[in-house]
Amino acid sequence: MTLDESYLAYPRRQRGQDIERYDWSPMEGRAAAKLAGDVKLAVSIVVPIEYFPLTPSGKPFRHPGAMVTPYPDLRHYTTRDYGNRVGAFRLLKAFAEAGVKATFAVNAILLDRSRPLIDAILADGHEIAAHGLSTDHIHHGGLTEAEERAYTDKTRAAFEAAGLRPRTWMSPARQESTRTPDLVRAAGFDICLDWEFDVAPVGLRTSCGPLVAFPLLSELDDRTLLTIKNHDESRWRDQIIEAAKYMRDEAATRGAECLSFTMTPYVAGQPFRMWAVKEILAALGAIDGASVVPVATHVDNFSTGNPQQ
Amino acid sequence: MQPDPNLYDYWPYKDRPRIVWPGGKKLAFWIAPNIEFYEFDPPTNPLRPSWPKPTPDVVGYSQRDWGNRVGHWRLMELLDRRGLRGSVSLNVAMCDHCPEIIDACKVRGWEFFSHGIYNTRFSYGMTEAQERAVIEDSIRTVESATGQRIRGYLAPALTHTERTLDLIAEYDFWYTCDLFQDDQPQPVKTRSGKLISMPYSLEVNDVIAYGVLAMDPWAYADVLKRHFDQLLEEGEDSGTVMCIPLHAYLVSQPHRIRAFEDAIAHITSHKDDVWFATGAEIAGHFRDHSWDSTLADISRRGLLRPGTGFGGGAA
């Protein structure tokens, strides 16, 4: 086997990024970001409301949490469904008790199927974001533009039909094609949760205007920490609280920062984990200068030292 | 392909000639931040996909970019506070992409060594001419950006060919971080040059600790302290080396970096016994003071095997 000489050609070896979506801007030496009021730490809890079909195509890979055993995998289907029936309501109650507003990122296919949950989320004043069609509609480079545009258009149409006009988008599995930001912006979304390259919101360039990347930390993903890395609840709690305290302290010199992480209903909403959920919410509420509100609220309150497209 | 690389001779840990680090120190400690660029849409190497997920992997790409935009500065401030210099495992294209980082490291007297051009360009399948081009590019790029002649090598994404170590030895590199057979340096059996294997460690590498071994921030800090304590104790008999290989996109995460600093504080509290050095300083000292005695000891024990790595580097 030999490698073609093109393997040693570096056409994008230049200052800054190797893509046009956004510009290189190191934290050191730039203007501090500011948030309205005295807020230093913009905390957002993202709650994925996901639909896992019994028959996943697995294209281009199985979404985290997708079916595992030979068909019919009732064990995983119902475990996931538990989140939308029970766990999400438990989280809603804990959020209400703590006075916290979150962002619920909903697979469009659930808008009809789980309408009572949607109504409960809306009644409590949380943000509803679009999370694509379902976990089996992953955006990726193997789709044609027409196929992918159908995903974003159908998602938008489903939310419209449900009487909802979400601004915030999260791709299923946070996977994209090279054109996803263009299609998402074209479908009327102006905030995206797939990119996590900064501590503040940054506008991505798209073919139809800016799409604000709001960083959601994959390293604090509850499904990963609790079900894949097998951290116990106290360590999950400790890591989120430590992140919040560290960033709050750093914000004193670096400017306002965002901390966003997931609470997945079938994971965080288990009965034996609710004590940790409640302690996380209480600890975040006690941090001076932290505000726990939906992503879109933070985005509107930010002015950053980052170049905006 | 060969079943035995023959890059070094078997050399048991017991009763080796004593290594004494400068100032009579027992342990040489170095810290190696990997400063990397992962391309958004790199060309594909037939032997390994560029990204574990289908390209583009926007979470993976943006998290690694976060390491450069945010994480690097947190880690550098921490090392400043603790009085430590980094030895940078550098994807040398970073000199072009993010010169602010290179300048900040240079000002602090950090060392640079090559970790290839990009972490998304693998050595598998390269011809000798191509591999030479990567090495020459590495030397030229870092020299032009920093004035430093690089002396160390860690193959990009740990991808090698049979001739990699022969080539870097020929270009007068002093150390490779690609071999994990020991906690002390050892001469590498290359066709030419004077190359040592430098203890670098995958065991306490943050990628392995946080990722593969799924450690929480405090567990990793405990591991680092215990690793250090054991190697320091053994350094009474003969000087040991401890390296902490790092990636800012992982260790500088807001939930991890203070626990990590706690481990560093433990290590830097042992100033009387520890030589805080860079990779090239450790390699230089070993080459000057322990190269000959090591070879003599291997020979005396009857463990010297003929030839050099991969039968002389034919590939």
Side-chain angles (χ1 to χ4, degrees):
Chain A
M1 183 199 89
T2 53
L3 282 176
D4 190 83
E5 287 304 317
S6 65
Y7 197 73
L8 271 75
Y10 315 107
R12 293 187 166 270
R13 186 171 170 181
Q14 63 205 8
R15 186 176 153 75
Q17 306 308 126
D18 61 342
I19 50 174
E20 313 298 327
R21 287 280 176 215
Y22 64 93
D23 295 327
W24 161 241
S25 171
M27 172 194 251
E28 176 75 23
R30 73 185 185 201
K34 291 191 176 66
L35 270 163
D38 287 329
V39 177
K40 292 288 183 213
L41 183 63
V43 182
S44 286
I45 299 169
V46 174
V47 183
I49 303 295
E50 301 166 316
Y51 177 69
F52 291 97
L54 259 180
T55 52
S57 71
K59 290 178 182 170
F61 53 81
R62 288 199 180 189
H63 191 291
M67 301 303 101
V68 176
T69 77
Y71 177 88
D73 186 353
L74 288 176
R75 165 173 137 183
H76 289 97
Y77 183 90
T78 54
T79 303
R80 302 331 177 219
D81 205 25
Y82 174 95
N84 298 335
R85 295 165 59 100
V86 182
F89 287 93
R90 234 176 236 137
L91 291 178
L92 280 168
K93 185 159 182 278
F95 293 164
E97 285 167 2
V100 160
K101 304 292 184 202
T103 294
F104 285 72
V106 180
N107 284 163
I109 205 168
L110 287 174
L111 292 168
D112 280 339
R113 297 173 65 100
S114 306
R115 184 69 210 193
L117 172 59
I118 305 302
D119 290 336
I121 294 166
L122 291 170
D124 283 357
H126 300 290
E127 177 186 14
I128 289 195
H131 193 14
L133 283 171
S134 83
T135 60
D136 202 31
H137 294 82
I138 293 176
H139 296 239
H140 63 99
L143 298 176
T144 66
E145 180 166 353
E147 287 169 332
E148 190 178 2
R149 189 182 296 277
Y151 284 9
T152 51
D153 286 352
K154 281 184 189 169
T155 302
R156 174 54 77 184
F159 278 91
E160 294 275 355
L164 298 166
R165 300 187 63 86
R167 294 175 58 190
T168 303
W169 169 275
M170 181 162 78
S171 297
R174 298 175 77 205
Q175 181 74 19
E176 293 193 356
S177 77
T178 54
R179 61 175 79 89
T180 303
D182 300 316
L183 297 176
V184 165
R185 184 68 181 83
F189 299 96
D190 69 344
I191 301 168
C192 177
L193 299 177
D194 298 342
W195 300 68
E196 52 177 284
F197 56 86
D198 210 308
V199 286
V202 183
L204 301 175
R205 291 186 190 93
T206 79
S207 54
C208 26
L211 177 69
V212 174
F214 189 90
L216 173 66
L217 284 183
S218 53
E219 294 289 329
L220 285 175
D221 182 77
D222 65 328
R223 178 159 46 202
T224 305
L225 292 181
L226 293 164
T227 74
I228 298 172
K229 295 191 172 180
N230 296 329
H231 291 189
D232 69 22
E233 288 68 40
S234 60
R235 282 309 202 201
W236 173 55
R237 170 203 62 187
D238 292 345
Q239 288 175 87
I240 290 172
I241 295 171
E242 171 62 11
K245 288 180 173 170
Y246 179 84
M247 294 178 86
R248 185 272 319 270
D249 291 350
E250 183 177 77
T253 54
R254 294 285 192 188
E257 300 190 357
C258 309
L259 172 63
S260 186
F261 55 89
T262 50
M263 284 192 178
T264 304
Y266 78 82
V267 178
Q270 291 292 333
F272 63 91
R273 294 197 172 112
M274 287 310 295
W275 71 270
V277 169
K278 290 173 188 172
E279 289 197 9
I280 289 167
L281 298 177
L284 292 173
I287 291 177
D288 206 28
S291 166
V292 190
V293 299
V295 168
T297 308
H298 286 313
V299 168
D300 288 340
N301 289 335
F302 247 101
S303 60
T304 78
N306 264 311
Q308 295 291 329
Q309 275 72 51
Chain B
M1 291 195 282
Q2 309 204 13
D4 183 340
N6 195 30
L7 286 166
Y8 50 82
D9 292 312
Y10 178 73
W11 186 39
Y13 195 43
K14 191 170 162 35
D15 298 328
R16 290 178 179 176
R18 188 172 187 197
I19 294 174
V20 180
W21 300 118
K25 304 294 173 70
K26 301 166 186 165
L27 185 152
F29 177 83
W30 68 300
I31 196 153
N34 283 265
I35 300 186
E36 299 174 328
F37 197 102
Y38 291 74
E39 297 164 283
F40 189 72
D41 189 15
T44 302
N45 184 299
L47 287 189
R48 177 172 155 180
S50 308
W51 289 92
K53 292 213 289 180
T55 305
D57 177 355
V58 298
V59 172
Y61 175 88
S62 62
Q63 186 188 352
R64 283 157 182 78
D65 190 33
W66 178 97
N68 292 329
R69 286 169 80 99
V70 177
H72 170 75
W73 309 96
R74 287 182 182 163
L75 180 59
M76 197 167 62
E77 283 183 2
L78 184 163
L79 296 179
D80 284 351
R81 275 196 298 279
R82 300 296 167 182
L84 293 175
R85 290 167 297 151
S87 303
V88 177
S89 168
L90 183 68
N91 290 155
V92 300
M94 279 293 289
C95 296
D96 304 296
H97 288 289
C98 305
E100 294 89 343
I101 290 180
I102 306 304
D103 292 344
C105 298
K106 181 187 164 191
V107 164
R108 286 163 171 77
W110 288 19
E111 183 195 325
F112 299 89
F113 64 93
S114 175
H115 189 26
I117 313 298
Y118 286 106
N119 233 42
T120 37
R121 304 276 179 139
F122 308 140
S123 309
Y124 303 132
M126 282 192 182
T127 62
E128 178 169 337
Q130 288 173 328
E131 208 166 355
R132 283 182 186 278
V134 168
I135 295 167
E136 289 171 14
D137 185 338
S138 295
I139 296 171
R140 188 175 60 242
T141 300
V142 175
E143 199 154 271
S144 156
T146 71
Q148 274 187 37
R149 168 54 226 262
I150 52 174
R151 297 297 177 190
Y153 199 78
L154 175 67
L158 275 63
T159 64
H160 314 97
T161 72
E162 289 186 346
R163 65 174 81 80
T164 302
L165 300 185
D166 273 329
L167 289 179
I168 64 171
E170 179 189 322
Y171 283 95
D172 199 18
F173 281 69
W174 296 355
Y175 67 98
T176 170
C177 301
D178 292 294
L179 308 176
F180 301 93
Q181 82 286 5
D182 218 289
D183 287 316
Q184 291 181 321
Q186 182 176 355
V188 180
K189 295 163 73 173
T190 53
R191 282 180 301 187
S192 65
K194 196 173 178 180
L195 183 75
I196 67 156
S197 62
M198 174 66 80
Y200 173 76
S201 184
L202 288 177
E203 305 299 325
V204 298
N205 186 309
D206 59 348
V207 170
I208 308 299
Y210 296 131
V212 180
L213 300 176
M215 289 181 201
D216 68 51
W218 301 279
Y220 182 47
D222 284 347
V223 160
L224 292 175
K225 290 179 201 172
R226 293 189 176 122
H227 195 76
F228 171 83
D229 289 347
Q230 179 69 28
L231 287 172
L232 181 59
E233 184 185 311
E234 293 173 13
E236 295 270 353
D237 301 328
S238 177
T240 48
V241 177
M242 176 173 171
C243 178
I244 306 181
L246 295 170
H247 301 73
Y249 75 84
L250 293 173
V251 72
S252 294
Q253 291 281 330
H255 54 297
R256 292 182 178 142
I257 192 158
R258 284 204 276 222
F260 173 73
E261 183 160 10
D262 182 47
I264 293 297
H266 172 77
I267 290 167
T268 54
S269 72
H270 290 76
K271 287 196 166 48
D272 291 348
D273 293 326
V274 180
W275 181 33
F276 297 99
T278 68
E281 287 167 358
I282 297 167
H285 188 273
F286 185 89
R287 280 162 38 115
D288 291 346
H289 300 277
S290 298
W291 177 278
D292 294 339
S293 58
T294 301
L295 291 180
D297 186 59
I298 292 169
S299 185
R300 180 185 62 77
R301 295 178 193 235
L303 295 169
L304 187 66
R305 286 186 303 159
T308 58
F310 295 103

